[in-house]
Amino acid sequence: MKYTKTKFLMWTDISITIISNKNPLQDIYDSFALFYSLEQEFSRFSKTSDLALLNEEKTLEVSDRFIDVFKKSYDVYNQSNHFFNPLVNINFLLYCF
């Protein structure tokens, strides 16, 4: 059987489809929970995300996952000759909030 669920997270539609003989709905919901936790921690659109709070307060105790993502983002920043910059506040560039 084919199981598909869609949710609006991270400012986009996310669809998860699993083909299985057993009911994988819990796996689908667990996957959405992971996306939701990432959104809560890293969203540029939410004023309550850890990223937004760090930008606002300039100091914040963050998770190991946050540090790992930030380090990888910095690596991509260097590899892209600074075209990818996770520190740019895009609110002033493209979005109106």
Side-chain angles (χ1 to χ4, degrees):
M1 275 185 100
K2 182 177 174 180
Y3 297 84
T4 300
K5 294 286 180 189
T6 301
K7 285 192 176 258
F8 185 78
L9 293 166
M10 305 170 93
W11 286 74
T12 192
D13 288 321
I14 298 175
S15 293
I16 299 173
T17 300
I18 296 177
I19 299 171
S20 176
N21 292 331
K22 63 178 186 135
N23 186 336
L25 289 179
Q26 188 58 52
D27 293 332
I28 292 174
Y29 294 133
D30 290 346
S31 298
F32 283 131
L34 174 62
F35 281 109
Y36 180 77
S37 73
L38 290 168
E39 181 176 43
Q40 295 304 299
E41 196 165 1
F42 300 108
S43 176
R44 291 179 167 185
F45 305 105
S46 169
K47 293 180 180 178
T48 60
S49 73
D50 287 355
L51 179 61
L53 294 173
L54 179 61
N55 284 331
E56 182 72 24
E57 302 296 325
K58 307 301 181 213
T59 182
L60 183 73
E61 188 172 327
V62 295
S63 68
D64 290 340
R65 178 172 73 173
F66 189 101
I67 292 169
D68 289 342
V69 169
F70 190 82
K71 285 178 180 178
K72 288 176 182 155
S73 297
Y74 189 71
D75 289 343
V76 173
Y77 169 76
N78 286 322
Q79 292 168 5
S80 69
N81 292 320
H82 308 176
F83 285 107
F84 173 79
N85 186 347
L87 302 178
V88 170
N89 185 347
I90 61 172
N91 292 343
F92 299 114
L93 300 176
L94 302 174
Y95 301 97
C96 299
F97 290 101

